[in-house]
Amino acid sequence: MSKEIILYLKLLYGGFNSLVILLFVYQGILGLRIRRSDKKPIDVIKRHRKNGPVLAVLGILGFVAGITVMFLDTGRILKYPYHFILGLIIVSLIITTYAISKKIKGPDPYWRNRHFYLGILIICLYFVQAFLGLGVLL
C-alpha cells in the first residue's frame, strides 16, 4: 500500500478518534448534569442512555481502526506498545462501563458511582492516548 494512502488513513484515524473523545466528553457532561440535578431531567437521561451504546461501539471501532492502520503501515501492531496497551485498557474500561450501566437500577448509588468513576477514568485516559497518538503521527 502506498505511503500516501497510509498517511491519509492515519489522519482519518486521528480525526475519527478526536471526534470520539469529544463525544465521550459530551456524554460525561450529560452524566454530570443528571448527577447534579435535584429533579431528574428526563430528556438528558434519555439522550445519555441512547448515546452510551453508540459511543461504546465507536470507541471500540477506533481501537480496531488503529490496529488496522498500524498493521497496514508496518505489518505489525505493537510498533507503539504504550499507545496499543492504553487503547486496549480504554476498550476494556468502555466494555466494563457499558456492562455496569446495565446494572444501574433506581436511586441505588452502588453501580451508578462505579459507572461515574470509570467514565471519568476513560475520558482522562483518552486524553493521554491522544497525546501518545500525536507522537505516532508526528
Side-chain angles (χ1 to χ4, degrees):
M1 189 167 281
S2 79
K3 289 294 179 184
E4 188 174 294
I5 292 174
I6 295 295
L7 176 63
Y8 286 123
L9 288 175
K10 285 181 178 181
L11 293 173
L12 184 63
Y13 159 73
F16 175 78
N17 278 321
S18 296
L19 177 63
V20 170
I21 291 169
L22 292 175
L23 291 172
F24 266 86
V25 169
Y26 172 72
Q27 183 75 344
I29 290 169
L30 292 179
L32 281 174
R33 285 179 56 195
I34 294 166
R35 281 182 78 86
R36 292 184 175 166
S37 176
D38 291 334
K39 292 182 183 179
K40 296 301 174 199
I42 300 301
D43 59 322
V44 177
I45 293 170
K46 285 182 181 179
R47 206 171 331 138
H48 188 74
R49 287 180 181 169
K50 182 180 173 186
N51 293 344
V54 174
L55 289 177
V57 170
L58 290 177
I60 294 167
L61 285 176
F63 178 71
V64 171
I67 291 173
T68 304
V69 170
M70 186 52 52
F71 186 76
L72 291 173
D73 185 27
T74 66
R76 33 189 279 228
I77 61 173
L78 288 175
K79 182 172 182 182
Y80 301 98
Y82 295 122
H83 190 67
F84 175 81
I85 291 168
L86 188 54
L88 189 60
I89 291 169
I90 290 170
V91 165
S92 299
L93 291 172
I94 288 171
I95 292 168
T96 302
T97 304
Y98 178 77
I100 285 174
S101 73
K102 296 299 179 188
K103 297 180 180 200
I104 296 173
K105 304 286 185 223
D108 182 26
Y110 183 79
W111 293 113
R112 194 173 307 279
N113 288 340
R114 278 148 185 77
H115 179 80
F116 172 72
Y117 293 123
L118 284 176
I120 290 172
L121 181 59
I122 289 168
I123 291 170
C124 292
L125 291 178
Y126 254 130
F127 283 108
V128 173
Q129 183 73 330
F131 178 76
L132 292 175
L134 286 174
V136 172
L137 283 175
L138 304 177

